[in-house]
Amino acid sequence: MQAQAQGLWFEVHPENYMADGGPRPRMLAALAERHPVALHGVSLSLAGPEPLDLQHLRRLRHLIDRIKPVRLSEHLAWSRLGTRYVPDLLPAPRTRALLERVVAHVDQVQQLTGMRLALENPSHYLCLEGHEFSEAQFLNEVVRRTACSLLVDVNNLHVSAVNIQQHASDWLAEIDIEAISEIHLAGHSEDPELGPRLLIDAHDRPVSEEVLALYAALCQRIGPRPTLLEWDADVPEFSVLWQERERVQAATPAWSFAHD
């Protein structure tokens, strides 16, 4: 919280702070007084088959009203059936029916929170059948119909490209770059059995050179965007995180950077 650097901001999962009191909400409020804070949701289940959880959205709005975040984001994924949540961000076939559902959910989130939502591309680990849109086409259409923005996770993009044998450059050429409001970076690992044929979005190590090169190329094309370094497991000392921040920052001439 005492770290000072030009453009420094932080991002948190709102699910960890949606309480009426206690140390976590107080800590977040204190952080928001010193630095810009963004909220990055992991449980709205925008691509899920059921209506959104209105109680969850009310609690999210209460948190938004308290800390005044600079951005709100979620994933193009689902994670809930009824009252059961799974600890993952699951994919769904990108059909016209799913498009209608996601558009309705994004509209509802933006209306009830009073914020523009940024939609993130998830990591993929297998090829699903039944897609009627490429991922970039699907995201572009949601942006067109809801006026939401995009959160491009460059590590997810690389991981998915390797795992389902596609080209990250094709995705980036197709996506609506004017809609990009934020970028995520993270480290990934290799599957213990399949090795480099299956990459895992682990968030437990430095950003790979391949991801860093993709990020630099993207920033050269669109200019700087608020960028988050995600490191969620095996978190090192803060000095190591700061060195990683400087390493990634060196890949671009001017930008805003944060930690999760």
Side-chain angles (χ1 to χ4, degrees), residues 183 185 211-227 245-257:
I183 299 172
L185 298 171
V211 170
L212 192 58
L214 274 176
Y215 172 66
L218 177 60
C219 288
Q220 185 175 19
R221 180 182 173 198
I222 68 173
R225 293 291 190 277
T227 299
R245 176 188 184 274
E246 293 176 341
R247 170 179 169 254
V248 176
Q249 187 175 11
T252 60
W255 58 324
S256 172
F257 196 82

Side-chain angles (χ1 to χ4, degrees), residues 120-173:
E120 178 182 343
N121 56 298
S123 294
H124 297 290
Y125 298 97
L126 74 166
C127 295
L128 294 182
E129 296 182 353
H131 291 307
E132 298 174 5
F133 302 85
S134 71
E135 185 171 79
Q137 288 172 336
F138 192 97
L139 289 169
N140 289 346
E141 187 63 16
V142 176
V143 168
R144 187 186 70 82
R145 294 178 55 177
T146 67
C148 74
S149 66
L150 297 176
L151 192 169
V152 175
D153 189 310
V154 182
N155 185 64
N156 289 359
L157 183 58
H158 173 71
V159 165
S160 299
V162 170
N163 290 345
I164 62 178
Q165 298 180 353
Q166 296 183 351
H167 296 287
S169 58
D170 293 341
W171 192 101
L172 289 171

